[in-house]
Amino acid sequence: MALTSLDFSQAKIQAIGTAFTAMKVAVNTKTKQQLEEEEGIGQSSDTPISKPYKTPSVQDKTISINPNEQTVLFADPTNGNLVKLNLSNENIDKLKKHFTGGNDFFEKKDGSLRLNGEAEAFVSGWFGDIAYKREFLGADINSDGKLSEEEYKNTRNEFRGHGEAYGIGKNVISIKEVIAEQYVHADDDKARMIKYNQLDKNSESIYDELNKTLKVDSNLNGEISLQEAYSLNGQNYTKVVLSHAIKALGNIDDNRPNPFEDKTDAELELLLLQTRALQKLRASNGNENTLTAEEKKALGGELA
């Protein structure tokens, strides 16, 4: 069966699993007075986060000069020190629409934005995931806040998965990708690797990856599903999964025996109809009311 003869038009496409999960961070809501009195800049983490937006010293008054970004401050989930970096205006607007607590966003006199309460816990959780679980900080060997191509390979910013496809004759009726392993080293080149960043350029810093992660986490639930990971830059995850399936099926030996070669077109159509009907029954826990009259007739005695 040649690859060009396969029909994917009726295939049900699924992407299943969670690629990355934010750290669990306790909500710490400070009063406006506490934020005004906060001596946070002097206690900021000395770990460089991104170039040129390194974590500031007491004297560092640098605020974002990019009109599409704003400097934000929040607590590092591992030590409580304040982290200072830039988020895109798009991500900040997204956060403000989701976190509507009266004191979640505190505008400082210097123009920076101090995150507080649930908004801080959420961003801090994703920062911790990237910095520590995905090992961006450890991968930055020269501590300049920017990851070279070689340094990026030391991160765990990838995941491994596998795909399955089912069909009858020339008709592919189901394609599924499932995450099998999270936080895989970026230099892992095993054959079954499904690379998150094949869909985008590698992030060069925690700053880059945090902005990307906040954008990809579409429902702000602290998890990046496989569907979300495959929807980078407005892509449709179904197209990504389908492209993987087509590529994989291209490696099938087209000279293998075809168990359906003696079936007529009518028999193949009946098998396809029966398979779809069985899938609907499984999805509805056996509710026959989900079937059409044609599907019930195709199953016949199988319904009993």
Side-chain angles (χ1 to χ4, degrees):
M1 179 170 57
L3 178 64
T4 53
S5 68
L6 294 179
D7 181 3
F8 294 88
S9 62
Q10 301 298 318
K12 178 182 179 182
I13 299 177
Q14 296 176 283
I16 300 172
T18 300
F20 304 110
T21 305
M23 279 187 175
K24 299 296 183 183
V25 178
V27 176
N28 179 20
T29 303
K30 295 188 175 183
T31 65
K32 183 178 180 180
Q33 182 178 351
Q34 287 176 313
L35 294 174
E36 289 174 343
E37 296 174 350
E38 189 175 62
E39 297 294 335
I41 295 297
Q43 299 170 1
S44 296
S45 168
D46 59 2
T47 303
I49 303 303
S50 60
K51 188 176 182 182
Y53 306 113
K54 292 185 179 180
T55 306
S57 65
V58 177
Q59 294 77 27
D60 189 349
K61 303 298 182 182
T62 301
I63 300 298
S64 174
I65 58 175
N66 186 335
N68 297 317
E69 298 177 337
Q70 185 175 4
T71 302
V72 300
L73 293 93
F74 56 89
D76 182 307
T78 66
N79 54 36
N81 290 339
L82 284 183
V83 175
K84 181 180 180 182
L85 50 71
N86 289 352
L87 293 182
S88 69
N89 291 342
E90 179 184 359
N91 278 329
I92 291 175
D93 289 343
K94 181 179 176 180
L95 291 170
K96 286 183 175 179
K97 289 178 181 178
H98 186 81
F99 298 103
T100 56
N103 210 24
D104 281 353
F105 304 91
F106 179 72
E107 296 280 353
K108 297 174 67 69
K109 293 179 181 179
D110 60 7
S112 62
L113 186 66
R114 173 67 165 95
L115 302 182
N116 190 31
E118 292 185 358
E120 178 186 34
F122 178 77
V123 174
S124 178
W126 271 127
F127 171 84
D129 174 65
I130 296 164
Y132 303 111
K133 290 164 67 180
R134 298 192 227 174
E135 300 183 0
F136 270 62
L137 280 181
D140 186 10
I141 298 173
N142 61 3
S143 298
D144 67 347
K146 188 174 182 179
L147 297 181
S148 66
E149 186 174 342
E150 287 303 309
E151 287 176 323
Y152 178 82
K153 292 179 180 180
N154 295 320
T155 70
R156 292 183 177 273
N157 201 37
E158 305 291 350
F159 50 83
R160 186 180 296 115
H162 68 271
E164 300 173 355
Y166 301 92
I168 297 176
K170 299 178 181 180
N171 298 292
V172 178
I173 60 174
S174 175
I175 301 171
K176 178 169 65 176
E177 275 194 22
V178 180
I179 290 180
E181 185 178 354
Q182 302 170 297
Y183 299 98
V184 175
H185 267 121
D187 66 347
D188 191 321
D189 59 355
K190 293 181 179 179
R192 298 306 296 274
M193 187 74 177
I194 299 175
K195 290 179 68 63
Y196 169 49
N197 278 297
Q198 282 180 338
L199 309 177
D200 197 28
K201 69 181 184 66
N202 293 341
S203 295
E204 297 180 348
S205 64
I206 294 177
Y207 152 77
D208 287 336
E209 188 61 34
L210 181 58
N211 272 285
K212 180 192 295 183
T213 297
L214 292 177
K215 182 176 181 180
V216 173
D217 185 3
S218 58
N219 57 3
L220 297 182
N221 68 343
E223 295 183 352
I224 292 181
S225 67
L226 185 56
Q227 287 189 17
E228 289 174 323
Y230 280 176
S231 298
L232 275 171
N233 299 324
Q235 298 182 92
N236 188 318
Y237 79 90
T238 59
K239 292 184 178 180
V240 178
V241 174
L242 179 59
S243 68
H244 289 169
I246 292 174
K247 182 178 179 180
L249 290 172
N251 296 323
I252 292 177
D253 180 7
D254 288 334
N255 293 319
R256 69 196 187 287
N258 181 359
F260 301 103
E261 62 184 355
D262 60 340
K263 301 291 185 183
T264 66
D265 288 344
E267 288 172 327
L268 288 174
E269 288 179 7
L270 177 60
L271 283 171
L272 182 60
L273 185 60
Q274 290 172 334
T275 302
R276 289 175 184 166
L278 288 171
Q279 286 181 330
K280 290 172 71 173
L281 282 175
R282 293 190 187 101
S284 64
N285 294 319
N287 184 359
E288 296 180 20
N289 293 328
T290 62
L291 301 180
T292 66
E294 184 182 16
E295 288 169 337
K296 290 180 179 179
K297 182 178 178 181
L299 288 178
E302 294 294 331
L303 282 176

